[in-house]
């Protein structure tokens, strides 16, 4: 999610006035076990910068938790609202990231490439010693967490991108990305009725396909959680709170589809998923930043979040969430979602 698309304290008045096109990640270096791009996997060297509002950044949050990389790569959480200098560290004391020593994520971008003209996006990984941005490649970061950071995975970490299933995972993820992850944005930021209706049809055609696929299987590919589930989850968890109304994807709510509603609650209640979700950040970001769509910046009170904690019954489909692995432990205290961002009655862990 790019801050160049959302300049100014009042959010982005351009959203809803020009056709939406997602930018490619400009900084696509990889952090690998062999360090072939100059960035070797190394415990404590890098800092992951995320917004809990952003579905793309939330993928990295879930992956990091499931794989137990909390000690290996530290975490910075930005304010869900930006100003014209990009994502800001106003949630930290004195408005400065305590590890990187910067007030705005753009400073790490500038350290890597001065006067870079593109967007300042999250997730971003920053090299702590130099203060330089390493990568903002949201499509690659989590795949590398799963495959390149294995030496630093916790004991019992699941295999989120198993070799034998990669072709099927990639195929499923491609359709989910095009029609769901990106499709809701194309609908929400459409500038014509025709453009909106095309994106709307894509979203619900794919959701219907996913509902059929998940009717008799617990997870998207294979018998345990994979990268494909992570990528779908971060959009579905935002659907009723944001995309249904704010982005006009309103044929039906997710809670009205028994299969998808059960599937997303199953994941939400799985350690590593729901404990990364902050509904307060999600709603405030979308409704207060996108002033081209919501000029009054009024944040809706609903929907009722208590349903996220209700039984889903999908254990009957079989499958093991972590395969041969084990669930992650509780998140570090400093990283727990505040009560304001959790459903009533949800524990911090």
């Amino acid at each position: 999610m790019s801050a160049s698309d959302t300049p100014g304290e009042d959010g982005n008045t351009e959203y809803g006035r020009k056709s939406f096109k997602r930018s490619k990640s400009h900084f696509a270096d990889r952090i690998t076990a062999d360090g072939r791009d100059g960035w070797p996997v190394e415990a404590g060297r890098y800092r992951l910068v995320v917004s809990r509002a952003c579905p793309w950044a939330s993928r990295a949050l879930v992956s990091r938790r499931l794989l137990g990389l909390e000690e290996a790569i530290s975490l910075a959480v930005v304010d869900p609202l930006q100003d014209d200098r990009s994502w800001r560290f106003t949630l930290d004391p004195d408005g400065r990231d305590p590890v990187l020593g910067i007030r705005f994520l753009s400073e790490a971008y500038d350290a890597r490439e001065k006067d870079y003209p593109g967007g300042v996006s999250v997730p971003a990984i920053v090299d702590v010693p130099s203060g330089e941005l390493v990568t903002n490649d949201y499509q690659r970061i989590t795949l590398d967490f799963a495959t390149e950071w294995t030496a630093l995975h916790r004991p019992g970490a699941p295999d989120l991108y198993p070799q034998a299933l990669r072709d099927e995972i990639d195929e499923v993820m491609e359709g989910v990305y095009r029609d769901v992850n990106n499709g809701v944005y194309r609908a929400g930021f459409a500038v014509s009725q025709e453009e909106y209706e095309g994106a709307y049809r894509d979203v619900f055609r794919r959701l219907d396909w996913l509902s059929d696929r998940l009717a008799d299987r617990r997870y998207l590919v294979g018998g345990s959680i994979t990268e494909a589930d992570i990528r779908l989850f971060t959009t579905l968890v935002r659907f009723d709170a944001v995309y249904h109304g704010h982005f006009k994807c309103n044929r039906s709510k997710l809670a009205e589809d028994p299969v998808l509603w059960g599937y997303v609650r199953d994941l939400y209640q799985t350690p590593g998923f729901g404990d990364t979700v902050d509904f307060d950040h999600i709603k405030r970001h979308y409704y207060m930043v996108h002033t081209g769509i919501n000029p009054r910046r009024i944040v809706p009170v609903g929907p009722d979040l208590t349903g996220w904690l209700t039984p889903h019954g999908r254990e009957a489909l079989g499958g093991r969430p972590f395969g041969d692995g084990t669930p992650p432990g509780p998140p570090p205290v400093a990283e727990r979602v505040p009560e304001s961002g959790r459903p009533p009655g949800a524990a911090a862990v």
Side-chain angles (χ1 to χ4, degrees):
M1 190 174 289
S2 171
S4 73
D5 296 331
T6 52
E9 283 285 357
D10 292 331
N12 190 328
T13 57
E14 293 303 311
Y15 273 144
R17 292 182 170 87
K18 60 181 180 180
S19 294
F20 176 76
K21 183 178 181 181
R22 186 164 301 285
S23 301
K24 292 184 178 180
S25 299
H26 180 74
F27 300 98
D29 286 4
R30 294 175 60 190
I31 301 170
T32 58
D34 63 8
R36 57 186 176 273
D37 284 356
W39 306 106
V41 169
E42 183 180 328
R45 176 170 175 176
Y46 306 101
R47 190 153 174 84
L48 173 66
V49 182
V50 303
S51 164
R52 292 191 187 274
C54 171
W56 318 97
S58 292
R59 296 176 178 181
L61 275 173
V62 174
S63 177
R64 176 177 171 269
R65 281 274 293 122
L66 294 178
L67 298 173
L69 290 172
E70 291 99 329
E71 295 297 322
I73 181 167
S74 64
L75 180 69
V77 178
V78 295
D79 194 304
L81 307 181
Q82 312 102 315
D83 69 15
D84 58 358
R85 292 162 293 184
S86 85
W87 296 100
R88 52 191 185 167
F89 295 100
T90 47
L91 302 180
D92 295 301
D94 301 320
R96 190 181 296 275
D97 181 80
V99 173
L100 300 173
I102 58 178
R103 295 185 181 277
F104 301 94
L105 180 56
S106 59
E107 296 175 56
Y109 278 69
D110 288 342
R112 172 70 183 273
E113 183 178 315
K114 192 66 176 174
D115 299 321
Y116 159 64
V120 177
S121 63
V122 288
I125 297 182
V126 180
D127 178 50
V128 174
S130 67
E132 294 183 4
L133 176 79
V134 176
T135 178
N136 66 347
D137 190 348
Y138 62 93
Q139 298 280 50
R140 190 72 234 179
I141 286 172
T142 50
L143 294 179
D144 284 343
F145 279 177
T147 59
E148 297 290 337
W149 290 70
T150 53
L152 298 176
H153 287 180
R154 65 178 175 86
D159 185 353
L160 298 176
Y161 196 46
Q163 185 72 51
L165 298 177
R166 287 183 187 177
D167 287 346
E168 186 178 0
I169 291 171
D170 289 346
E171 181 180 3
V172 170
M173 290 194 305
E174 195 280 329
V176 167
Y177 169 78
R178 183 185 62 245
D179 298 331
V180 180
N181 301 147
N182 208 44
V184 292
Y185 281 84
R186 291 191 292 109
F189 300 140
V191 295
S192 70
Q193 188 70 29
E194 181 181 13
E195 184 181 347
Y196 159 69
E197 290 186 11
Y200 173 100
R201 286 192 295 270
D202 288 342
V203 168
F204 284 100
R205 182 179 65 248
R206 184 63 58 177
L207 288 179
D208 288 342
W209 181 86
L210 288 163
S211 184
D212 288 343
R213 183 180 181 89
L214 290 164
D216 59 359
R217 62 171 75 191
R218 192 171 178 186
Y219 303 109
L220 280 172
V221 182
S224 59
I225 291 163
T226 67
E227 175 78 11
D229 297 293
I230 295 173
R231 295 190 181 195
L232 179 57
F233 171 80
T234 58
T235 294
L236 294 187
V237 79
R238 289 161 171 78
F239 198 89
D240 287 3
V242 175
Y243 304 141
H244 178 271
H246 186 58
F247 280 179
K248 305 180 184 69
C249 295
N250 61 353
R251 188 197 73 179
S252 54
K253 294 180 179 178
L254 198 68
E256 295 168 354
D257 183 310
V259 172
L260 292 180
W261 181 225
Y263 167 78
V264 75
R265 279 182 293 145
D266 186 4
L267 292 177
Y268 183 88
Q269 294 170 30
T270 298
F273 283 84
D275 52 33
T276 70
V277 176
D278 190 325
F279 285 106
D280 175 62
H281 278 209
I282 290 167
K283 293 203 304 183
R284 285 197 292 125
H285 172 80
Y286 281 93
Y287 287 102
M288 296 182 72
V289 167
H290 300 158
T291 57
I293 300 173
N294 187 35
R296 298 288 185 183
R297 304 181 78 194
I298 294 171
V299 180
V301 175
D304 181 5
L305 300 178
T306 55
W308 286 98
L309 304 178
T310 58
H312 50 76
R314 288 185 61 84
E315 304 94 335
L317 295 174
R320 296 176 296 160
F322 306 102
D324 293 330
T326 58
V333 173
E335 297 182 10
R336 293 178 184 175
V337 174
E339 185 176 351
S340 61
R342 306 193 306 266
V349 295

